Amino acid sequence: MSLIDLIRLLVRNWLMLTVIPVILAGTIFYLTRHETKIYSSETTVYTGIASGYTLQGNAQADFFATSNAFDNLLNLINSRQTREEVAVRLLASHLMLKKHDPDLLSWKSYSKLHELISDSLTRIIVADTKEKTITNIYGLLRRDAQNAVYLLINGDKPNYSITALSKMTAIRLNSSDLVKIQYESEDAAMCKNSLEILTEVFIRKKRELREGQTESVIKYFEEEVAKAQMKLGEAEQKFLAFNKNNNIINYYEQTKYISAEKEELYDKYNGLEMDYAGSFSVMGMIEQKLQNRTGVSLNAQEIMSYRSQLSKISTELAKMELYSKDNNDQQAQTQIEDLRKQADNVSQQIKTSVDNLFKNTHTVQGLPSKDLLDDWVKNAIIAEETKSRLSVMDKRKQEFQQVYEQMAPLGATLKRIEREIDIAEKEYLSLLHGLNLSRLMQQSNELASNLKIMDAPYLPVKSKGSKRMILVIAGGFGGFVIIAACLIAMEMADKNLKKLSLAAKRIGLAMFGIYPLLMKGSTWNKFLTRVEELLVQQLLLKKGQSNTKSVYTVAIISTQNGEGKTTIARSLAYKLNQMQQPSVVVLPNNHKESLTDHTESDCFYNVFSNLSTAQSWTEMTKGKVTDGFLLLEIPALLENTYPVALLKEVDLILLVARANRNWRPADKLVLEQLQQLTATPIEIIVNGVNPEHTEEWIGEVPKTRSKLRRWTKRMMKMEFKKKIGFAVRKKSDKGM
């Protein structure tokens, strides 16, 4: 379907396309005459989620975290629980009114509320305070699902129902920290009041959620810190008791000191052993040298007494020096000095005794005896002192060994206790750090939960624009579109032949021409004349191509009755006769009674006498035509018996089919049978064609058109340039 065909279809059905949309628009206009006015208010809340300041500093720019936080906030605002609490608080505030307050609700809403909630139920609900009233309403909501309060809040009534409050919409403004909440209601005061309650409810809920998250964490850390502190105290008490029971001040310093003293003691002990061995060896050598002369003197009682006395003094002196090394006892120092003096005196006496005994004597080798005796005395003194010191150090070594045996196992136990203290301390510090972080986060959440209202809800004075005219226009336009769509669908689904090209395509025959619908009017007569002239022209061309010098015979057939064969045959004969082309129309005998306007060119024949053997054309026409055209009408192929013998003798067969009918399988079958009987060419004429569908055959239909219509038609045909007429040169201009 072309654009022109579409417009023509709409123009043909202009009445339907006009009346139905108008009726539909008028119906909508009438039904919406009592349309309820809608008031809208809004509020803007600053959240600080994306760029707010916390205790950790400015909020980090994390797209996913920010998006998640805004989604949580918007879902909290739109949650059923939030809307339910808003409805309950709104209902409680209105039920507590002693009289109508225009700042809270209109008189219409006030009256409607008292119609929905009876006075007896109101007395049960309303209490001294608003919170108690809210508690009573929640009690009715939880009690059963049949009371008026439950039905009001969970129903679909305006203003107080959860469904009505679902009209509250919360959106984030672009990529900012602002959230805008809008609400539409039939009551301007309730619209503002509902938004105020909503902001109060969801800000409190957000704070409770954030604080509730950290409260449980803080409680956990506080309990664990108390346990860790108790565990650490028990470990420290165990450490203190262990040190007290084992006389430990500082285990590591004590063991370090004992180790150093032991090393020093062993160094001294080794030195004394070497001194003793050296002195004893020297004394033996001297005694060997003096063995023949001094043996008596050396064994004298006096000298032996002095040696014994010197040994006792040296032993006592060594004990005093060893045990008083780290003490600053003045008395012990005095005793040491006395013992040293005594040792010096005894040593001098031994020396004097030996000198007197061996005075002026010499050794066997010729050495002075005095020098040898001095050396012997000196080494004897050293040996005795060293021996005494060694005996004292042996006891000291035993004491050190006992201390080591005592301190060694204490180290492992002390290490285990210290490890327990270290683990307990680390655990305590870690939990304490977590507690501090949780408290810091709690404070940060409290700061972040303090949402600020940037634009408070306002009282709308003017209602929103009515959608009534939009509905009316949409209804009218929708009706037009629906009717137009139905017409287009019907046109596209229509299987009728309609026009010549479509008929030729569906039937499968060559196109001969069309015959339009019969109408009245001078313009229409001109159009019909033009169509008939084109059909006659086609006949003349066909005759000229066949080289027939005698009568050119044309059989006009159809598959059904009422296709217009007689009308077309007589019109063609009439037009041929006007053009000085003799023509005769031969009709079946049954047409004599139906035709009242017989003409000289009309002839009739007996169908049954020509079934097998054809009559001569002269006999059939009674000599009316010897040259020209013979138009033979054949009865309907599907509904009558037709003369097969005559069809074999004709020069051309024209199949007439109505434009307002479909080509059925029976039509196709009888046409195929006819084509098998005769080799005569068969072409189609579509009868009753709408003038709008004739342009493909005759060109533009001749009729009066306005300039606008002509311009529109050119635009649809893509003929953008205006037609230009060409001037014809006159004969008088040839010489110029």
Side-chain angles (χ1 to χ4, degrees), residues 266-520:
Y266 273 66
D267 289 341
K268 288 183 178 181
Y269 187 83
N270 292 332
L272 290 175
E273 282 185 336
M274 289 187 292
D275 291 343
Y276 178 76
S279 300
F280 193 78
S281 176
V282 171
M283 287 177 62
M285 184 182 64
I286 293 174
E287 287 177 355
Q288 186 178 4
K289 290 179 180 181
L290 298 176
Q291 60 183 349
N292 296 325
R293 298 179 61 187
T294 62
V296 177
S297 299
L298 291 172
N299 292 323
Q301 292 293 330
E302 184 179 4
I303 294 175
M304 294 301 293
S305 176
Y306 284 146
R307 286 182 63 184
S308 177
Q309 186 178 357
L310 181 60
S311 178
K312 293 179 180 180
I313 294 172
S314 297
T315 299
E316 187 68 25
L317 180 60
K319 286 182 180 180
M320 293 296 293
E321 288 179 348
L322 186 61
Y323 287 104
S324 62
K325 179 179 180 181
D326 297 329
N327 298 328
N328 294 323
D329 192 357
Q330 189 66 32
Q331 185 177 357
Q333 295 296 328
T334 303
Q335 290 179 359
I336 290 171
E337 292 295 330
D338 292 341
L339 290 175
R340 285 176 179 172
K341 290 179 180 180
Q342 291 178 14
D344 291 340
N345 291 333
V346 173
S347 297
Q348 187 64 34
Q349 289 177 2
I350 292 173
K351 183 178 181 182
T352 301
S353 297
V354 173
D355 286 342
N356 290 334
L357 183 61
F358 298 101
K359 192 175 181 180
N360 298 321
T361 61
H362 295 78
T363 65
V364 178
Q365 291 82 3
L367 295 172
S369 299
K370 184 178 181 301
D371 294 338
L372 291 174
L373 291 175
D374 288 340
D375 290 339
W376 184 88
V377 172
K378 182 178 178 182
N379 284 284
I381 293 170
I382 293 172
E384 290 298 330
E385 290 179 351
T386 304
K387 182 179 180 181
S388 299
R389 288 178 178 271
L390 287 174
S391 62
V392 174
M393 286 189 176
D394 285 335
K395 295 180 180 179
R396 189 61 174 168
K397 285 174 64 178
Q398 294 177 359
E399 293 176 0
F400 270 115
Q401 187 63 32
Q402 292 176 357
V403 172
Y404 261 85
E405 291 176 356
Q406 180 183 0
M407 296 294 287
L410 295 179
T413 305
L414 186 64
K415 191 70 175 177
R416 185 177 67 253
I417 296 174
E418 289 178 345
R419 189 163 55 249
E420 292 177 359
I421 293 175
D422 184 59
I423 293 173
E425 185 178 7
K426 289 181 179 179
E427 182 181 2
Y428 171 75
L429 292 176
S430 177
L431 292 171
L432 186 62
H433 179 66
L435 177 61
N436 291 332
L437 287 180
S438 299
R439 286 175 174 167
L440 183 66
M441 185 60 67
Q442 183 185 35
Q443 295 297 322
S444 180
N445 288 340
E446 289 179 358
L447 291 176
S449 300
N450 291 328
L451 305 181
K452 296 180 180 179
I453 300 175
M454 302 298 294
D455 295 328
Y458 59 87
L459 180 66
V461 178
K462 186 179 179 181
S463 63
K464 293 184 64 177
S466 175
K467 297 181 180 179
R468 187 181 186 188
M469 292 307 300
I470 296 177
L471 293 175
V472 171
I473 295 172
F477 181 75
F480 178 84
V481 170
I482 292 173
I483 298 301
C486 292
L487 290 173
I488 293 171
M490 292 172 62
E491 183 71 15
M492 296 183 69
D494 188 8
K495 299 298 183 180
N496 291 341
L497 301 179
K498 296 180 185 178
K499 54 185 177 180
L500 184 60
S501 60
L502 186 60
K505 181 179 179 182
R506 291 180 179 176
I507 298 176
L509 297 178
M511 297 182 293
F512 185 83
I514 59 99
Y515 201 84
L517 288 171
L518 297 178
M519 299 182 183
K520 295 180 179 180

Side-chain angles (χ1 to χ4, degrees), residues 534-547 552 629:
L534 288 175
L535 290 175
V536 170
Q537 183 180 347
Q538 286 286 92
L539 286 176
L540 295 174
L541 290 174
K542 294 291 183 182
K543 182 180 180 181
Q545 292 173 358
S546 65
N547 297 319
Y552 187 79
F629 292 88

Side-chain angles (χ1 to χ4, degrees), residues 2-3 61 90 111 159 263 265 314 347 373 401 439 483 636 655 695 727 733:
S2 64
L3 181 60
L90 184 66
S111 302
N159 302 325
E263 292 297 328
L265 178 64
S314 297
S347 297
L373 291 175
Q401 187 63 32
R439 286 175 174 167
I483 298 301
L655 175 65
E695 288 189 354
D733 296 337

